[in-house]
Structures are given as structure tokens and as C-alpha cells.
Amino acid sequence: MTGQEMAFLALGAIAAAGGVAVVTARNVVHGALFLVAVLAAIGALFLLLGAEFVGWVQILIYVGAIVVLLLFGLMLTKAPLGRGALDNQQRGIAAIVATGTFAMLTWLVWHAFGDERITFVRAVRTADIGNALFTSYVLPFEAVSVLLLAALVGAILLAKKD
Amino acid sequence: MDAIGWIILVAKVLIVFAFLMVAVIVTVWAERRTVAFMQQRIGPNRVGPFGILQTLADGLKLFFKEDVVPAGVDRAVYLAAPLVAVIPAFMSFAIVPWGNTFRIGRRVVEMQLADLNVGILFFLAMGSLMVYGVVLAGWSSGSTYPLFGAVRSSAQMISYEIAMGLSVVAVVLAAGTLSTRGIVDAQAGTWFGFVPHWFAISQLPAFVVFLLAGIAESNRPPFDLPEAETELVAGYHLEYSGVRFMMFFLAEYLHVITTSAIATTLFLGGWRGPIPPFARPVWPPLWFLAKVVVLVFVFVWARATLPRVRYDRLMAFGWKVLIPASLVWVMATATLVALGPVVSRATLVAGTGLAAGALALWWLARVTLARRAGIRAARPGEEVARGGR
């Protein structure tokens, strides 16, 4: 087992443990902080695999923006200190959805990459990512941007009083 | 990496760390003296020559103060928040090239901690982590004013991060690389033999946006709403004392220095400058330092000169002025870069001139029309006829 493989396993373990902690944390802000650990570990996994650009974008967007917005929202609404329980009584449905998603993703990853060895490449050029994004993956890219636009319009509609 | 490589790396880390600590100490003192001078006061002048040891004395005092943890705080988060504020502030400096390369024997030493391929992205990522210190400190204190400070700062920092990121995008487009060393190299050479190829000139709008967003990101006056004394007592670090308070203080000044260093790298040609034929490796760091000092002075100058902005105006300025302006500038830069290989240089210059002229004409017409409308509105008869206000 090489050093990189060990680091991969350790980061994976951190991400998985953090994921469990997110849903078991009693305090909702602590849950958000565990989410930071999960997302940062995933960012570190990208870095380990030589995807520098994706790794730092993961940190910049998910850790630096999305979870901060989450915390912002929690503070504006209700984020009690201490062991305040904010439970929305949906454990059964949540468990079914989570198990289903997990099973589907596991099957998908197994089916697609089941017998492939992980090779640690040196580094991916940022220009290659840009070219791939705007040639082979331009349709998903555009679909995601339309989705974001729809979310923006929806947010404005919700926030508008009159 | 062999043993000597490791020794060089550790030495560089120590040099950067020591430089940042000394720079913070000197900056705090220089700021107090400068602001005092601008306000016709004397400022700290008792400890050491010109009072230069004042910050050191204050730091020692804070070290030996009691570290009070109020009852009812979220203990783990409360204790961790100052560290979360300080660490990214130190880390951002890792990608700043503060000099050229030099040789020790056969070994080439770069005057930079890490030349990442995506260096500038690393800076933006660290900047976005800086919010956590403020937000967590405010929330975990469990008291009203810190929470207000935290809410304000998270909104402010996220908003200005976008403008800052867009201004960086314009520079990256112009330089064609995300590496900080590459961006400095892209600014080599001169126009007409004496005007340096700095992005501060060819990317002036991006430079202005970057500086404004940098002041807002580091929560400095006139954008220091997260800790506005007159409204929030002290904002997010209200409950902190002793060495933990000092950490927030340190983080703020580190942020000022790092932002100045990055602005130097992106816009002022980094370590580039005329290099005399003697003591060659010494000059680049000196040029770099001189430029950083000038930018830090701009931070202090803004603080001493401008009154604090009202919160809603701050947000409106960020979203309605800075972000659209930098978006337009990114589009313009991208167009110029894309046209570069297609269109001849003369056409490009003429086109840019025409566009600028049209813009200036439009602006002039708008201002004139607005003034005439203003004069008409100011006529006393009409004012009464409209019911007056």
C-alpha cells in the first residue's frame, strides 16, 4: 500500500465519519461544521488525484460559499446555542431516501469503475478542464446554468413582497 | 526532495512567518501614527524610539491577560473561532512570489513558498474560509451584538468575494494563467520604454474593484460594519479577551498585508522593477516590499479619510455597482483576448477608442440631461405646482 493510497483511505474515512456526524449532531450549527469537514475532505481527495483546479474550486464554492450561506440562513432564522433539538420528524422517509440513493450510487460506481485501478496522475491542466467543459460537456453545463437561473428567479419571486 | 531541499523549504516558511509577524507589528504602529498625524494628534510615542515598540508591548499585555470564557457560550466553537480566523490569513501568503529565483551552488531557489498551477484560486479559497472565524465567533458567543456582527459580516464578505473573484478573473484572462508566478511574468516589459506593463494600467477597473473588495473583505473602515463600535459595541469579537482577541486583531492586519501582497502580484508587477547590476537577488524583494507598503498605506489612508458607510448602502454598492461593473469588464477583457489573434493591433486600438468615446459621450449626455432636469425641478414655481416636498 503506497502513501497516496493510505492518504486516500484516511480522507475517505474522514469524509464518511463526518457524513455520519452531520446527521447525528444534535445542534444544527455543529451539523453544518461537520459538513465543512466532509466537503473539505472531498476537496483534499480531488487534490490527491491531481485535480488541483477541481479541488480548490470545491473548497472555494462548497466550504467557502455554500456552507457559509447555510450558516447565514441558520443565524437569520433560528440557531439556538447548546443542545437545542431541531427535529422535523421525518426520520423514516429520510432513511428510505438516503438508503435508496446510497444503493443507486454504489451500484453505479461499481458498475462503471468496478475493476479499474486508481492511478495517481501528475496534474490536470486547467485549460483541459475548460476545453472539456465547453466542448464535450457543454449540454450539462448549459442545463445547470438554466437551473441556477431558475433558482435565482424563484428566490426573487419568493423574496418580493408585493 | 532531499535533505537540503527540506532545509530550504523550512527556512522559507520561517522567513515568511517572521516577515508576516513583524509586518503586522510595524503596520499596527505605523497605522496608529499615520492616523494620529492625519487627525492632528501625536499617537503612540512612549515605548521605544517613536513609539515603535508600542504594538509589542500591547501584544505582551494581551498575552498575560486572563482568558475569559463567558458562561453560556458554545465552548468548542468559541475556543476554535480565533484560530479559524488566523490560519487562512497566514496560508494565503504561501502563493505570493516575493522575489525572483537565485542560485545557491547548483540549486535554484524560488522566492515563493508554493508555485501552484492554480495559485490565485488558492488565494480565493483561503479568502472564502476567512468568513468562518467571524461567523463562528459571533454565533458561539451567544449574545446579541456579536450575532449581528456575524450576520452582517457573512453577507458582506460573500457579496464582496464575488466582485473580488470577478476582478481576478479579468486579470487571469489577460495573463492567460492562474499561477501567481505566471501572472507576474505576464507583466514583464514596458510600453514606450518607461511605462511598466502592469495590470494596474491595462486592467485599471479590475484593480479598483479588487482594492475596494479587499477593504470590504478584511472588514476595514470604511467597510467595518461587522465591528462598527457605534452600532455593535465591538461586533463579532465583543466577548473575546486576552490572547483570543489578539488573534482576531492579528487576522485583520494579516488580511490587510496579504491583500496588499496579492494586489501587488496581480496588478503592480509583483517583484519586478529596475535591477541595478550589484546585489541582484536583493532587489526583487525590496521592490515587492515597497509596493506592498504603498498599498498598505492606501488601506490606512482610506480608514483615516472616509466615514463608515451605512450598511444598506454597502450592500447596494457591492451588488449594484461593483459586481455589474466587474462583469462588464470581464466581458470586455474576454472579447479583447479572443479578438487578439484575429484582428490587427491598430484595429483593436481604434475599436477600443471608439467604444470608450461612445461610452464617454453617452455619460456626458446623461449627466447634461440630468443637470437640466435638476435645474427645471429646482424652479420655485414648478416645485409648488407639484406640491413641494
Side-chain angles (χ1 to χ4, degrees), chain B residues 3 21 26 42 45 48 75 77 81 91 97 111 217 231 252-253 274 295 341 363 378 382 388:
Chain B
M21 292 304 279
V26 174
I42 295 170
N45 69 343
R75 205 177 160 82
V77 179
M91 300 233 318
M111 286 197 248
E217 280 270 285
E231 304 161 32
E252 178 183 329
Y253 281 87
L295 285 179
W363 180 74
E382 278 183 5

Side-chain angles (χ1 to χ4, degrees), chain B residues 21 26 54 78 98 105 141 153 163 166 193 196 202 204 228 236 240 243 271 294 320:
Chain B
M21 292 304 279
V26 174
Q54 182 68 49
Y78 180 85
W98 74 89
S141 296
S153 91
L166 284 172
S202 57
L204 183 63
Y236 61 90
Y240 284 87
V243 72
W271 46 264
V294 169
K320 295 182 185 166

Side-chain angles (χ1 to χ4, degrees), chain B residues 24 84 90 135 138 150 173 235 265 324 332 382:
Chain B
V24 165
V84 176
F90 269 116
V135 169
L173 282 173
T265 307
E382 278 183 5

Side-chain angles (χ1 to χ4, degrees), chain A residues 23 26 87-96:
Chain A
V23 285
R26 304 291 297 171
D87 195 352
N88 60 3
Q89 317 290 335
Q90 289 176 343
R91 286 183 187 205
I93 302 171
I96 293 169

